[in-house]
Amino acid sequence: DTGVSQDPRHKITKRGQNVTFRCDPISEHNRLYWYRQTLGQGPEFLTYFQNEAQLEKSRLLSDRFSAERPKGSFSTLEIQRTEQGDSAMYLCASSLALDSGYTFGSGTRLTVV
Amino acid sequence: QQQVKQSPQSLIVQKGGISIINCAYENTAFDYFPWYQQFPGKGPALLIAIRPDVSEKKEGRFTISFNKSAKQFSLHIMDSQPGDSATYFCAATYSGGYQKVTFGTGTKLQVIP
């Protein structure tokens, strides 16, 4: 396994459309995180999965956002009715334990026009 | 509000010089402090991390200094190289939670030949 994979790398969508991103974590990692990063800022936590259970959601994650991790493997992040303010880099990370730190994917850059 | 404050926002250092990035945190429950390095178009990559029971950790040219009483920590890059040019994020988390990481705002480092 070469790392955390995210697809697509870039997505341009019109305001109001729905988009879905996929993350494939490192296979033995049971913890998966989604973060959002805007230009010039550090990543901001969105949500966390341990295996298939979504255990924490940030208040940044409005009801237009939903994330899933079926069977504790890959994860998807869907944004419904996209707004221009949703334009950002969406990062997925996985980990096995705290001391190993996170392994981030290269992210999906979303541009809402 | 859990915050990690980072400075400077940008830094220019000559090749061979020492790069120093400073961070401060508020939440005394934080007990794991990683530093991440991010190149353009890539996700952050774990560089080095420290726990508050030690005052310094060194890995190659990278050293974290930690001052628990002042709630401050810093990254020192010795013998800085042009390949070190990247954005650096300090971060903090606590073992008792879901290991949600709170990131600083980042320091863009440029090492000039």
Side-chain angles (χ1 to χ4, degrees):
Chain A
D1 195 320
T2 56
V4 178
S5 298
Q6 291 190 247
D7 183 69
R9 291 294 311 277
H10 304 275
K11 179 71 176 178
I12 299 174
T13 190
K14 291 185 177 179
R15 188 175 53 187
Q17 297 294 304
N18 299 344
V19 293
T20 300
F21 312 140
R22 178 181 170 119
C23 171
D24 287 90
I26 293 173
S27 57
E28 61 266 29
H29 286 185
N30 60 343
R31 302 176 185 207
L32 186 146
Y33 309 80
W34 285 97
Y35 280 76
R36 180 171 67 188
Q37 185 177 24
T38 54
L39 200 62
Q41 297 296 315
E44 293 178 294
F45 172 81
L46 292 180
T47 191
Y48 161 68
F49 288 86
Q50 183 157 326
N51 299 313
E52 67 275 10
Q54 187 175 22
L55 297 183
E56 188 173 351
K57 291 172 59 174
S58 166
R59 59 180 179 273
L60 292 175
L61 216 64
S62 75
D63 56 6
R64 296 185 298 105
F65 288 71
S66 62
E68 294 182 340
R69 192 183 182 196
K71 301 178 183 178
S73 55
F74 71 93
S75 176
T76 58
L77 178 68
E78 180 183 17
I79 309 174
Q80 296 182 328
R81 306 181 302 281
T82 52
E83 301 173 356
Q84 286 189 321
D86 297 331
S87 295
M89 174 79 86
Y90 289 84
L91 292 162
C92 176
S94 68
S95 74
L96 192 56
L98 176 62
D99 284 358
S100 63
Y102 287 0
T103 300
F104 278 94
S106 292
T108 294
R109 178 159 301 280
L110 173 67
T111 302
V112 182
V113 298
Chain B
Q1 179 73 22
Q2 298 178 350
Q3 288 187 334
V4 178
K5 297 181 180 179
Q6 183 172 349
S7 64
Q9 188 174 2
S10 63
L11 183 60
I12 299 175
V13 172
Q14 284 211 307
K15 179 182 175 182
I18 302 174
S19 303
I20 302 174
I21 304 169
N22 299 301
C23 287
Y25 63 98
E26 298 174 355
N27 189 338
T28 55
F30 287 146
D31 61 0
Y32 183 72
F33 300 87
W35 284 86
Y36 286 84
Q37 179 189 56
Q38 186 175 29
F39 293 104
K42 298 291 186 181
L46 180 65
L47 191 62
I48 186 173
I50 196 169
R51 289 193 174 275
D53 52 349
V54 297
S55 60
E56 187 175 282
K57 183 173 181 180
K58 183 176 181 179
E59 290 185 1
R61 297 184 294 108
F62 300 91
T63 300
I64 302 176
S65 297
F66 193 88
N67 185 331
K68 187 175 181 178
S69 61
K71 293 188 288 184
Q72 295 176 346
F73 57 111
S74 60
L75 176 69
H76 295 234
I77 306 174
M78 313 300 287
D79 186 27
S80 299
Q81 299 296 312
D84 297 331
S85 297
T87 299
Y88 292 81
F89 294 96
C90 61
T93 188
Y94 52 95
S95 306
Y98 298 130
Q99 301 169 8
K100 174 181 66 178
V101 175
T102 300
F103 286 84
T105 51
T107 296
K108 187 172 184 179
L109 171 65
Q110 183 181 359
V111 181
I112 55 176

